[in-house]
Amino acid sequence: MAPPPAPPQKSPSPSQPSGKSEVSDLKLQLRQLAGSRAPGADDSKRDLFKRVISYMTVGIDVSAAFSEMVMCSATSDIVLKKMCYLYVGNYARCHPDLALLTINFLQKDCHDEDPMIRGLALRSLCSLRVPNLVEYLVAPLGAGLKDGSSYVRMVAAVGVLKLYHISAATCLDSDFPAVLKSLMLTDPDAQVVANCLFVLQEIWNLEANKSEEASRERETLLSKKIVYYILNRIKEFNEWAQCLVLELVAKYIPSDTDDIFDIMNLLEDRLQHANGAVVLATIKVFLHLTMSMTDVHQQVYERIKAPLLTLVGSGSSEQSYAVLSHLHLLVMRAPMLFSSDYKHFYCQFSDPSYVKKLKLEMLTAIANESNTYEIVTELCEYAGNVDVPIARESIRAVGKIALQQYDVNAIVDRLLQFLEMEKDYVTAETLVLVKDLLRKYPQWSHDCIAVVGNISSKNVQEPKAKAALIWMLGEYSQDMPDAPYILESLIENWDEENAAEVRLHLLTAAMKCFFKRPPETQKALGAALAAGLADSHQDVHDRALFYYRLLQYDVSVAERVVNPPKQAVSVFADTQSSEIKDRIFDEFNSLSVVYQKPSYMFTDKEHREPFEFSEEIGNLSLGQEPVGNSPRYDESDKDLLLSTSEREENGGPSTNGPAASGYSAPTDYNSSLVSLSSQTQSETAISDPGMPKYTSQMTLAIDDLLGLSVSAAPAPPSLKLNPKAALDPGTFQRKWGQLAVSISQDCSVSPQGIAALTTPQALIRHMQANSIQCIASGGQSPNFKFFFFAQKLDGPPLFFLVECIVNTSSAKAQVKIKADDATASEAFFGLFQSALSKFGVL
Amino acid sequence: MPVAASAIYFLNLRGDVLINRLYRDDVGGNMVDAFRTHIMQTKELGTCPVRQIGGCSFLYMRISNVYIVIVVSKNANVACAFKFVVEAVALFKSYFGGAFDEDAIRNNFVLIYELLDEIMDFGYPQNLAPEILKLYITQEGVRSPFSSKPSDKPVPNATLQVTGAVGWRREGLLYKKNEVFLDIVESVNLLMSSKGFVLRCDVTGKILMKCFLSGMPDLKLGLNDKIGLENESQLKSRPIKSGKTIELDDVTFHQCVNLTRFNSEKTVSFVPPDGEFELMKYRITEGVNLPFRVLPTIKELGRTRMEVNVKVKSVFGAKMFALGVVVKVPVPKQTAKTSFQVTSGRAKYNASIDCLVWKIRKFPGQTESTMSAEVELISTMAEKKSWTRPPIQMEFQVPMFTASGLRVRFLKVWEKSGYNTVEWVRYITKAGSYEIRC
């Protein structure tokens, strides 16, 4: 059942038995009892079994007593049997030979006259999870599915899923899915139906990628016939099964509007169910069914508001957190609809901080002309909260409201009052906000500067706040009489300033101040530039040098560069793309909503890393450099947590070299650096024989270009790429998710190229010259990762998508190509490879 | 995929495993270690009940001195998972009889394993209804009710019930005296600003029932809620009787309530489970009768002295009284000395929660009581100025009073044998989170 519990030496708690001697003692006692028919033997067996199970629970390896436990299992006492089943299930997997011993008695129990025992035995039999014992499973499962007792059928249905996970082939060959399907449509017992449903769902979901038939079967599960059949029986199901059914219905695509209203009428009363999970599942159905009908969709929002608010208020704070996360999602999608409910999002003093945080975000989102005053008043109450992170969060919330409103008069006053509270963190947060406000509403500078000028820079310690203060000192130095002197004193303490961010701002502020009040600032600027030039931080040094040379060149030019007239910022960029938000909404009622990211970002290991990049694709479109944000690699060592079996599953399909098994996630640079380079080499070695094929094809293509078609067979059409290809990140992301890898190859990069690859920019420019566009890139030496795309010049817009990992130390690049038209991908690979190998030569 | 929990763990506060049940192979055996090192031993504990470590998500909640952790490797249904934990704990409680804590788990771990086996299979929740599970899992571990050997209590048609078609009630129950107990329990939540405005106020109520009824009775409950009354008057084409009607914002019902009938006829009709259960829950935001008004005045006299004056008025009927009234007035950490004057009850300073705690055992309706206190503070350099005051909190119970004004108009029991029943109805209002800013 489970991978082995931690070996004894890993649990050195003194209060627990050390293991060895106790286990052998237990073995001895069990052996004595094994054949005993004496009265009271069952009771002493029970005590012994309890001890075994409790050792097992704390992590002591009691597998040594396996054969004794099996010997004792011949009993009619059902509790003893259950304990024995539990024990066997736990250790069978790591002792497959011993597990064989249990098959006999489990099979016997599968024919017991008591349906309870039949069910339990069948469940345990399926839970052994020993691959070479699957043959013993098929017959009892088949019998179980036809059993007269619904309890056994219900267990057998889940058993099919367990079998599938041990050996998918055995499960499918025995035709169990078909049996389940007919059982699902005919069985009188609702729980059997529900179990069949989720088993089939899981099997077809996993099989859908492998076979046409499976994906067809998956579609049938969502057909009108089945969905209606189950919906009509929904009241027979228990609450948990209802959640399952509703989950299925949410995926159903209704044929017309009548269909939609039928389902909604049928499910309306589910919104009154006592189980919050059922209510939430129903809400999902409603939201998804009405997606296409805007006004009905809006009515749905109105209808589900009350049940959602009730759910928030009832149950433990964990439960209300789960519900609030969903409410949060809805509020963010349609803040207007909730603007009158703002009082529900007021924080109770006793709310845990994770609840408060969500509430603050919602209050921020729903603030509009009518309720801003109340909301801001309430938020100001929290600014003095004992919980410092929440206090900070609420100040930020006030700021955000100010940034999204037109009438900020009152809010600015409030913010300025915060500065008078004289709490360091309040001051710090407020300074950052005032800075942002001034960037959007320069007209408020007069009021703000008067207050900001009174803040002693000594009371501001946090880098972000300090930087904000310095920015204001530079920007508004003409209005602050003390500005040059404050800057001067800050520059004097240059060496004590740890944050490079602050030092950078100090340089710029000194420059700005200098342009406005040259005589007072000259000395300070000189000191700042000198300190900057001597700074060990590269950016600070560079900026100081740049300013210095600029001033040397021409002071008026320098002023135009450093202190040009600014336009007020109209909108601050949203951090999450709307496509991602939509995907989260599609996955309503799941973890995605709590994490606020779509599931592929946290479950799919294949994609977890690449899509860390694609988050940056969003940045790209905002005109920022993705290169600077080096992706997060810390996932890699955490992946070690996952059991080896899953690792292999994930590593298996993506790579096929001999070194592949150790190489699970293709992008764990840090942890698998060594295996990466060794594997790259070994894979190249394997793929070498294949290389001539490409070259011959390439020559073919060239021949074809010249009109010298030699081959009678239809030669691959020559491939020309559109130099102005365009693809937005969202589409790229979706395509990447949909398409299969058509080519996965390693190729080499010329040494000159490696030398030129000091930054990813170099390769990006080179590839661009070859009509291959880069959409995202990242990484640090020696590993760089790129996502490219290219478009076929003629004909329909066919795209090629490329993931390319370049390792500069081994001068190799690993290339994965996905294409709309897989037949053309060979030719494209040729182009890509030649472009890559020429890198640095051009 | 709704839940598909990969594993469930019960840990004590030190992180020792009390119970572990692995349902699926897709998580490793070292999940507990991950939970311990990444959540329990860090400040993360309590910052969020859902956390991702590696590829797995941990959904955890603390119940008394036990952590219950559900590990999932896929995108799971969070609400369902938490609800499952809550329901499972309720189920365990109904087996152990009350408490659910570390000791109870240690004493009953075999039973818990048995239950975990039944309530979840391969990570999917199965049947959690205590009424049904108790038919075949008993604490004494007697033989299965299906066994062909004669047992003392025949259970007809149990197979059907085990899988939960009519989940909540079994047939053939017989009581000498047929009784129904109905409790309306309301908790009133209040957030009042320092200027005396009600910022937020609502009542969450539940109707708890205890049924000792023979056979398969059909019950019908009438309340003075608006929808129900209007509907009735329409049916009888009679004008609504004078008297207060209550508008319920939202109602949820126990699964035994026929929701279709509630929606069409607006009556609460149901076949109750045997014993105790929660019939319905509701929420009200309009027209709430606050049982207490609190009028605080707090003066800070210089840096070392504070004067606290709190007046509490009871605004419910003069014949009623509140029990267990507690008023907690927060004071700064550096409180050194306190002196009190109260018109009733007792007050003292509790340093562990930094509050002046004023307790009044019995508080009659339509009266008022005051506490005035002088607080001396140690002068410190650390906190220079403003001490931000947490709100005053209040606890109380008012029997026979409902903050919403909800009343039971009738409770009809109908059974084919036509026996007589005795019905008992009680009301009580408790303080939920009753906060007054000052």
Side-chain angles (χ1 to χ4, degrees):
Chain A
M1 169 184 293
Q9 64 267 25
K10 265 180 122 184
S11 53
S13 167
S15 65
Q16 290 164 1
S18 56
K20 275 249 163 74
S21 62
E22 275 79 5
V23 175
S24 52
D25 185 38
L26 274 176
K27 273 177 74 166
L28 198 70
Q29 294 186 38
L30 280 169
R31 188 163 296 171
Q32 282 165 355
L33 278 171
S36 164
R37 295 247 171 246
D42 273 358
D43 286 341
S44 16
K45 269 190 206 169
R46 241 192 226 190
D47 285 342
L48 281 177
F49 273 37
K50 267 190 192 172
R51 269 170 65 196
V52 172
I53 302 287
S54 69
Y55 285 169
M56 194 177 87
T57 302
V58 295
I60 296 170
D61 187 2
V62 279
S63 61
F66 203 101
S67 46
E68 283 77 12
M69 286 292 280
V70 174
M71 270 150 64
C72 281
S73 62
T75 169
S76 57
D77 183 339
I78 197 157
V79 175
L80 268 182
K81 267 202 195 301
K82 281 182 184 171
M83 282 197 267
C84 188
Y85 292 153
L86 180 73
Y87 174 87
V88 167
N90 222 357
Y91 288 113
R93 201 171 158 218
C94 36
H95 302 277
D97 41 334
L98 289 172
L100 192 60
L101 294 174
T102 63
I103 289 284
N104 216 349
F105 86 86
L106 283 175
Q107 275 190 328
K108 205 179 101 226
D109 283 353
C110 281
H111 297 293
D112 199 281
E113 56 187 13
D114 183 345
M116 194 83 212
I117 298 206
R118 289 205 299 275
L120 285 171
L122 189 59
R123 183 183 291 155
S124 309
L125 196 58
C126 297
S127 303
L128 291 180
R129 297 175 226 190
V130 181
N132 51 5
L133 296 182
V134 284
E135 51 187 302
Y136 298 101
L137 277 179
V138 177
L141 264 182
L145 288 172
K146 292 190 196 82
D147 199 286
S149 160
S150 55
Y151 181 77
V152 182
R153 292 199 302 277
M154 160 184 122
V155 170
V158 186
V160 171
L161 184 59
K162 291 176 185 164
L163 172 64
Y164 175 81
H165 278 277
I166 308 164
S167 164
T170 319
C171 177
L172 298 175
D173 291 346
S174 316
D175 220 18
F176 281 133
V179 181
L180 285 184
K181 196 176 162 190
S182 71
L183 208 55
M184 179 175 80
L185 294 174
T186 53
D187 203 283
D189 188 280
Q191 189 63 46
V192 178
V193 174
N195 284 5
C196 290
L197 175 67
F198 75 70
V199 170
L200 284 175
Q201 256 185 310
E202 195 173 327
I203 291 182
W204 293 137
N205 266 337
L206 291 168
E207 280 293 305
N209 300 331
K210 296 174 201 156
S211 83
E212 284 269 319
E213 193 206 336
S215 63
R216 256 204 318 280
E217 287 289 345
R218 189 171 64 164
E219 295 305 310
T220 356
L221 276 183
L222 290 170
S223 67
K224 190 166 181 171
K225 185 184 148 216
I226 291 187
V227 167
Y228 271 67
Y229 169 75
I230 289 173
L231 271 180
N232 286 327
R233 295 186 65 176
I234 194 157
K235 284 177 189 134
E236 297 169 32
F237 292 98
N238 71 25
E239 42 200 326
W240 314 103
Q242 286 186 11
C243 291
L244 268 165
V245 169
L246 292 168
E247 194 68 27
L248 176 86
V249 179
K251 289 195 202 111
Y252 171 69
I253 299 155
S255 52
D256 50 35
T257 47
D258 289 347
D259 209 7
I260 295 175
F261 288 117
D262 283 350
I263 294 179
M264 294 215 298
N265 286 331
L266 194 67
L267 293 179
E268 168 105 44
D269 56 14
R270 294 298 107 191
L271 290 174
Q272 253 128 24
H273 200 284
N275 187 327
V278 175
V279 177
L280 219 49
T282 314
I283 289 175
K284 179 176 184 177
V285 173
F286 278 34
L287 287 174
H288 282 200
L289 282 180
T290 56
M291 275 301 262
S292 55
M293 310 193 286
T294 323
D295 42 338
V296 185
H297 196 62
Q298 205 151 342
Q299 285 167 16
V300 167
Y301 269 84
E302 291 294 338
R303 175 67 187 85
I304 62 181
K305 227 195 260 176
L308 272 175
L309 290 172
T310 308
L311 281 180
V312 171
S314 58
S316 66
S317 47
E318 288 85 357
Q319 286 172 285
S320 51
Y321 174 68
V323 180
L324 265 179
S325 306
H326 287 85
L327 197 58
H328 179 266
L329 176 76
L330 298 178
V331 166
M332 292 302 162
R333 280 177 78 85
M336 315 263 285
L337 295 178
F338 293 88
S339 58
S340 57
D341 302 293
Y342 61 93
K343 282 189 177 171
H344 288 285
F345 307 132
Y346 282 5
C347 299
Q348 300 280 3
F349 189 68
S350 46
D351 281 340
S353 58
Y354 49 84
V355 168
K356 282 185 183 153
K357 195 163 173 275
L358 283 177
K359 285 186 172 175
L360 286 178
E361 283 177 22
M362 288 191 274
L363 281 175
T364 316
I366 60 179
N368 64 8
E369 290 84 8
S370 62
N371 58 21
T372 299
Y373 180 78
E374 281 85 3
I375 290 180
V376 172
T377 311
E378 182 67 14
L379 287 172
C380 292
E381 285 282 341
Y382 309 145
N385 202 300
V386 203
D387 188 349
V388 175
I390 289 302
R392 283 172 182 273
E393 203 66 52
S394 50
I395 296 169
R396 264 177 243 150
V398 174
K400 272 188 213 153
I401 293 177
L403 290 175
Q404 72 198 20
Q405 296 290 315
Y406 298 101
D407 177 30
V408 288
N409 200 345
I411 303 181
V412 173
D413 283 349
R414 299 280 182 77
L415 275 179
L416 296 179
Q417 277 169 19
F418 286 152
L419 291 177
E420 286 158 14
M421 281 172 68
E422 291 186 28
K423 285 195 175 180
D424 289 350
Y425 59 88
V426 176
T427 312
E429 286 298 334
T430 314
L431 278 175
V432 177
L433 281 176
V434 170
K435 178 204 69 179
D436 284 343
L437 267 180
L438 287 178
R439 286 170 67 198
K440 187 165 177 185
Y441 310 106
Q443 66 269 32
W444 290 107
S445 64
H446 196 71
D447 303 66
C448 296
I449 292 314
V451 183
V452 171
N454 291 333
I455 296 170
S456 160
S457 59
K458 290 187 190 71
N459 292 342
V460 183
Q461 290 306 323
E462 288 169 42
K464 267 200 156 42
K466 215 167 181 174
L469 179 64
I470 292 171
W471 182 86
M472 286 186 274
L473 284 171
E475 195 68 26
Y476 299 99
S477 42
Q478 73 277 20
D479 303 326
M480 290 199 235
D482 291 342
Y485 310 106
I486 301 174
L487 285 174
E488 191 172 342
S489 72
L490 284 167
I491 290 164
E492 272 169 24
N493 297 324
W494 185 276
D495 294 333
E496 287 153 36
E497 188 50 64
N498 292 321
E501 186 190 5
V502 176
R503 300 204 297 273
L504 284 170
H505 272 279
L506 209 46
L507 276 173
T508 313
M511 286 288 277
K512 286 177 184 167
C513 191
F514 171 71
F515 297 129
K516 288 162 188 159
R517 300 161 74 173
E520 290 162 286
T521 326
Q522 194 173 12
K523 189 167 149 255
L525 178 62
L529 288 177
L533 285 172
D535 203 284
S536 58
H537 194 278
Q538 189 70 47
D539 289 346
V540 179
H541 172 81
D542 286 359
R543 189 177 287 189
L545 192 62
F546 170 68
Y547 284 164
Y548 179 72
R549 292 194 177 146
L550 208 55
L551 287 169
Q552 240 181 357
Y553 175 70
D554 187 342
V555 178
S556 63
V557 171
E559 179 164 11
R560 280 216 305 282
V561 172
V562 180
N563 194 27
K566 281 184 198 59
Q567 275 194 335
V569 181
S570 57
V571 181
F572 284 94
D574 199 351
T575 45
Q576 215 170 29
S577 79
S578 63
E579 204 224 346
I580 288 192
K581 285 180 189 161
D582 285 346
R583 284 195 78 142
I584 298 175
F585 185 70
D586 284 341
E587 293 168 350
F588 195 83
N589 201 13
S590 73
L591 277 173
S592 318
V593 179
V594 175
Y595 290 144
Q596 297 181 14
K597 48 185 171 183
S599 60
Y600 64 76
M601 286 190 188
F602 60 92
T603 55
D604 209 346
K605 288 244 242 105
E606 273 275 309
H607 289 122
R608 215 188 305 160
E609 191 61 41
F611 281 102
E612 299 263 359
F613 282 82
S614 57
E615 271 181 300
E616 285 158 19
I617 294 178
N619 291 344
L620 245 188
S621 57
L622 297 172
Q624 291 176 6
E625 288 294 331
V627 185
N629 317 339
S630 75
R632 283 170 269 140
Y633 292 118
D634 52 347
E635 302 285 344
S636 57
D637 48 345
K638 289 180 188 161
D639 281 348
L640 300 173
L641 281 174
L642 286 148
S643 64
T644 40
S645 65
E646 196 187 341
R647 245 164 198 282
E648 279 159 16
E649 267 167 38
N650 276 309
S654 62
T655 47
N656 35 22
S661 61
Y663 180 60
S664 61
T667 45
D668 292 350
Y669 302 148
N670 291 353
S671 64
S672 53
L673 202 56
V674 183
S675 70
L676 174 70
S677 46
S678 67
Q679 188 222 351
T680 328
Q681 267 142 18
S682 67
E683 279 210 346
T684 343
I686 297 162
S687 59
D688 265 338
M691 291 304 272
K693 196 169 85 198
Y694 294 122
T695 37
S696 71
Q697 257 173 14
M698 277 310 290
T699 39
L700 261 182
I702 293 165
D703 287 346
D704 207 25
L705 264 181
L706 301 169
L708 300 168
S709 181
V710 264
S711 143
S718 66
L719 185 68
K720 277 199 163 184
L721 298 176
N722 180 357
K724 293 195 182 87
L727 190 65
D728 68 297
T731 327
F732 181 90
Q733 209 168 307
R734 208 178 50 247
K735 274 180 183 284
W736 187 261
Q738 284 165 353
L739 296 169
V741 177
S742 59
I743 292 180
S744 177
Q745 274 288 336
D746 289 356
C747 30
S748 50
V749 183
S750 70
Q752 295 96 316
I754 297 304
L757 196 64
T758 46
T759 67
Q761 274 342 74
L763 181 64
I764 292 171
R765 275 194 297 274
H766 169 80
M767 296 310 268
Q768 228 158 24
N770 287 285
S771 305
I772 297 168
Q773 318 292 329
C774 176
I775 195 151
S777 66
Q780 280 167 339
S781 184
N783 281 300
F784 294 95
K785 181 166 189 168
F786 302 88
F787 284 95
F788 293 104
F789 70 92
Q791 190 189 11
K792 208 176 150 199
L793 184 59
D794 307 306
L798 295 173
F799 283 100
F800 301 95
L801 312 181
V802 190
E803 181 203 328
C804 174
I805 301 168
V806 182
N807 183 309
T808 49
S809 61
S810 63
K812 290 281 189 281
Q814 195 190 36
V815 180
K816 266 192 201 160
I817 296 178
K818 298 186 178 186
D820 280 336
D821 177 8
T823 53
S825 53
E826 299 254 343
F828 172 73
F829 178 68
L831 285 180
F832 186 84
Q833 203 188 15
S834 75
L836 195 64
S837 62
K838 274 186 285 183
F839 172 55
V841 184
L842 291 175
Chain B
M1 188 176 310
V3 173
S6 299
I8 183 164
Y9 292 98
F10 293 64
L11 307 175
N12 68 9
L13 296 185
R14 284 210 323 246
D16 299 334
V17 182
L18 303 173
I19 299 277
N20 69 340
R21 184 74 174 83
L22 287 116
Y23 289 105
R24 286 180 169 236
D25 276 340
D26 52 1
V27 295
N30 48 2
M31 281 295 134
V32 196
D33 297 336
F35 182 75
R36 271 194 290 247
T37 50
H38 289 278
I39 299 175
M40 285 191 83
Q41 290 164 4
T42 61
K43 284 182 186 159
E44 301 288 332
L45 196 67
T47 54
C48 184
V50 183
R51 287 266 298 151
Q52 193 187 12
I53 305 170
C56 294
S57 294
F58 290 73
L59 319 175
Y60 63 96
M61 80 203 285
R62 183 179 162 174
I63 291 169
S64 92
N65 54 0
V66 178
Y67 282 105
I68 302 181
V69 189
I70 284 194
V71 186
V72 292
S73 67
K74 297 267 163 49
N75 188 15
N77 180 338
V78 201
C80 193
F82 280 132
K83 183 70 183 170
F84 175 81
V85 172
V86 170
E87 290 293 308
V89 169
L91 173 70
F92 298 150
K93 274 185 186 165
S94 79
Y95 269 95
F96 320 145
F100 176 84
D101 54 18
E102 188 180 345
D103 290 338
I105 293 175
R106 284 195 194 277
N107 295 334
N108 296 288
F109 75 95
V110 172
L111 176 71
I112 295 181
Y113 273 123
E114 268 186 66
L115 288 171
L116 284 177
D117 219 30
E118 289 297 330
I119 61 179
M120 195 173 248
D121 202 358
F122 210 50
Y124 289 97
Q126 301 284 307
N127 197 346
L128 270 82
E131 300 83 24
I132 300 308
L133 286 167
K134 278 182 180 163
L135 288 178
Y136 61 102
I137 298 181
T138 51
Q139 202 152 17
E140 298 76 39
V142 294
R143 278 178 227 303
S144 136
F146 307 119
S147 76
S148 55
K149 288 160 204 155
S151 66
D152 40 345
K153 196 167 68 176
V155 184
N157 202 12
T159 338
L160 188 68
Q161 290 182 5
V162 167
T163 49
V166 194
W168 58 87
R169 192 177 180 93
R170 65 193 159 96
E171 283 171 29
L173 289 165
L174 191 65
Y175 288 98
K176 268 185 196 153
K177 194 176 173 190
N178 290 296
E179 283 182 301
V180 189
F181 297 85
L182 189 147
D183 279 328
I184 296 194
V185 182
E186 296 196 335
S187 61
V188 48
N189 301 307
L190 169 76
L191 185 60
M192 192 174 267
S193 79
S194 48
K195 296 189 181 80
F197 296 118
V198 175
L199 290 174
R200 200 192 138 179
C201 164
D202 60 66
V203 171
T204 53
K206 48 190 171 184
I207 300 186
L208 303 174
M209 290 197 79
K210 211 188 263 183
C211 291
F212 303 110
L213 296 171
S214 314
M216 278 287 179
D218 229 324
L219 271 69
K220 216 176 199 187
L221 174 69
L223 300 165
N224 62 337
D225 69 304
K226 211 173 184 177
I227 323 167
L229 277 179
E230 271 172 11
N231 204 280
E232 212 163 89
S233 65
Q234 275 169 15
L235 287 174
K236 294 174 186 165
S237 65
R238 222 193 293 154
I240 308 167
K241 271 181 260 165
S242 60
K244 210 178 161 198
T245 57
I246 307 301
E247 193 170 346
L248 302 176
D249 280 25
D250 187 44
V251 204
T252 60
F253 294 105
H254 186 267
Q255 53 171 338
C256 68
V257 175
N258 187 333
L259 292 174
T260 334
R261 244 162 102 184
F262 175 76
N263 281 327
S264 60
E265 300 166 28
K266 300 293 171 196
T267 53
V268 183
S269 59
F270 53 101
V271 178
D274 193 37
E276 250 183 284
F277 69 102
E278 187 181 288
L279 177 70
M280 62 182 267
K281 270 194 294 224
Y282 56 89
R283 187 167 55 86
I284 289 166
T285 44
E286 297 297 320
V288 176
N289 312 314
L290 293 173
F292 287 101
R293 303 287 289 185
V294 182
L295 308 161
T297 37
I298 296 179
K299 279 187 214 147
E300 285 176 45
L301 308 166
R303 284 170 62 175
T304 56
R305 246 161 50 83
M306 257 173 71
E307 254 182 35
V308 178
N309 199 304
V310 182
K311 187 191 279 180
V312 178
K313 275 187 189 171
S314 58
V315 284
F316 45 85
K319 284 180 191 163
M320 291 186 264
F321 52 85
L323 296 174
V325 177
V326 180
V327 183
K328 288 181 192 162
V329 186
V331 287
K333 271 207 173 343
Q334 60 269 32
T335 298
K337 211 173 134 194
T338 50
S339 60
F340 299 95
Q341 273 190 318
V342 288
T343 55
S344 64
R346 289 170 118 186
K348 63 178 186 200
Y349 166 60
N350 185 336
S352 62
I353 52 170
D354 295 315
C355 278
L356 306 177
V357 181
W358 177 25
K359 290 184 182 169
I360 305 154
R361 206 172 290 159
K362 195 166 170 182
F363 202 125
Q366 301 297 339
T367 57
E368 63 176 60
S369 194
T370 42
M371 170 188 81
S372 35
E374 266 189 40
V375 180
E376 278 178 42
L377 309 172
I378 309 166
S379 64
T380 52
M381 300 305 287
E383 280 285 301
K384 266 186 307 198
K385 218 177 111 195
S386 59
W387 166 65
T388 46
R389 297 183 204 126
I392 293 179
Q393 286 177 305
M394 205 174 161
E395 294 164 19
F396 53 80
Q397 294 190 356
V398 192
M400 299 323 285
F401 171 79
T402 50
S404 64
L406 195 75
R407 296 275 144 188
V408 172
R409 287 169 47 246
F410 59 83
L411 176 64
K412 290 176 190 155
V413 181
W414 185 87
E415 217 274 337
K416 53 178 182 279
S417 63
Y419 53 71
N420 286 327
T421 47
V422 187
E423 292 110 24
W424 305 87
V425 179
R426 284 191 301 185
Y427 303 92
I428 192 165
T429 294
K430 295 176 183 173
S433 122
Y434 211 79
E435 296 179 353
I436 298 102
R437 290 182 183 155
C438 47

